Amino acid sequence: MLRAIILGAGAGGGFPQWNSAGPACLRARAGDPAAPPRSQCALAVSADGERWALVNASPDLRQQIAATPALHPRPDAIRNSPLAAVVLTGGEVDTIAGLLTLRERHPFALYGAPPVLGVLAANGIFNALNPALVPRRTIPAETPFAIADADGVPLGITAEAFAVPGKVPLFAEGPDGADPGRADDGETIGLALSAGGARLLFIPGCAAMTPALADRIRGADTLLFDGTLFADDEMIAAGAGPKTGARMGHMSLDGPTGTLAAFRDIPVRRRILVHINNTNPILLADSPERRIVAEAGWEVAEDGMEISL
């Protein structure tokens, strides 16, 4: 069996974002039940319910662990944790900053593609994770591998990484603000996770649908997919920022090349949107946009949502 817990369903900044007075954020901050808060995107997976792997370490990791009993320390030792591995799908701040929360001498394995491990190696602050306790392991491209703990003991979950259209991390773009363009070289990856014959795909960031990616997704039991923006110019229209979704490396949900259109002919048993930006109206349970995605067969993730396969 594969058990997954969505620790955070929001994009960078979470929902409500700390400096946003947008209409949806105001509703969330006021406790509107139609606008439940979301922390920043991360996933926990387990084959046995005892040992867990994180997929991405968000800046909100400490509160996510606190909100998730399955990740709490067991009472049989003063210092312990069921967290046995962390797998990174990219090198953005939103996916790696939470690693610093895990610096208290707890052993776990840290997996990343070469560009991501390069980001960690270039930033000395991540040496707070003692390499004697936290071995860094390179994720092989397009090759299944067993996720294992720091001692090399498999967790019962097989993962396979595949390149997804994306872009370099924001902090690596350069000072001139020029569009770095789309990257297809492993800067952004998706993960296929399987245990007990079930297959879950986690793709929290995706700049475009390609034939190869559609073939990869087709027939999955469950897909967690990039739901950052509803409309490509959403942030510009809201006055929340100068960039389109495409400029940020994310497909929009709406439009002729958007996610809803792209998935009309891609069969997936269960489809769930994650990494949802605070400007996206699908965060509001009573919005017309939420109804549109629901009618297209998509669920909108919330923190704490559990999936058993």
Side-chain angles (χ1 to χ4, degrees):
M1 183 181 81
L2 181 64
R3 181 181 173 193
I5 302 175
I6 296 175
L7 302 178
F15 176 66
Q17 184 170 297
W18 67 278
N19 65 343
S20 174
C25 287
L26 292 176
R27 289 178 61 178
R29 204 170 281 119
D32 187 331
R38 271 89 165 176
S39 60
Q40 296 170 88
C41 188
L43 182 71
V45 293
S46 177
D48 60 10
E50 296 295 326
R51 297 185 301 161
W52 290 81
L54 298 181
V55 184
N56 293 337
S58 92
D60 295 324
L61 182 56
R62 182 184 178 278
Q63 76 179 62
Q64 291 170 342
I65 291 173
T68 308
L71 302 182
H72 290 178
R74 311 300 189 233
D76 55 352
I78 188 66
R79 291 284 181 93
N80 71 92
S81 171
L83 297 179
V86 177
V87 185
L88 302 173
T89 66
E92 287 281 7
V93 170
D94 305 339
T95 62
I96 64 175
L99 290 172
L100 299 178
T101 298
L102 305 178
R103 68 190 182 278
E104 282 88 6
R105 295 192 58 79
H106 174 69
F108 64 92
L110 179 57
Y111 291 86
V116 177
L117 295 183
V119 168
L120 300 182
N123 288 270
I125 193 170
F126 290 103
N127 292 332
L129 297 171
N130 185 343
L133 296 173
V134 183
R136 299 181 185 182
R137 298 175 180 159
T138 300
I139 295 175
E142 307 286 342
T143 303
F145 65 98
I147 300 176
D149 65 16
D151 293 326
V153 179
L155 304 187
I157 300 171
T158 298
E160 184 174 356
F162 49 92
V164 173
K167 71 171 187 63
V168 299
L170 177 62
F171 60 80
E173 287 187 4
D176 60 1
D179 186 349
R182 201 173 92 183
D184 299 274
D185 58 357
E187 287 281 357
T188 302
I189 63 171
L191 283 177
L193 302 164
S194 59
R199 185 167 66 108
L200 179 149
L201 268 62
F202 183 67
I203 307 174
C206 183
M209 182 58 65
T210 65
L213 182 57
D215 287 341
R216 172 79 63 172
I217 292 168
R218 188 170 286 108
D221 295 299
T222 299
L223 169 69
L224 308 183
F225 194 77
D226 184 353
T228 305
L229 300 179
F230 188 80
D232 188 56
D233 64 349
E234 180 178 300
M235 292 184 64
I236 298 171
K243 295 179 181 179
T244 63
R247 170 64 179 81
M248 295 188 294
H250 296 284
M251 295 175 68
S252 58
L253 294 169
D254 197 22
T257 60
T259 299
L260 300 185
F263 276 86
R264 287 192 186 117
D265 299 319
I266 304 176
V268 176
R269 194 180 75 175
R270 188 176 183 188
R271 307 171 177 180
I272 304 172
L273 295 167
V274 296
H275 196 271
I276 307 163
N277 195 60
N278 69 91
T279 57
N280 192 333
I282 69 169
L283 289 167
L284 302 174
D286 54 5
S287 69
E289 291 83 0
R290 172 70 75 89
R291 185 172 62 252
I292 289 170
V293 298
E295 289 174 351
W298 289 89
E299 300 174 57
V300 176
E302 294 189 14
D303 288 19
M305 180 184 287
E306 293 200 30
I307 303 161
S308 294
L309 298 171

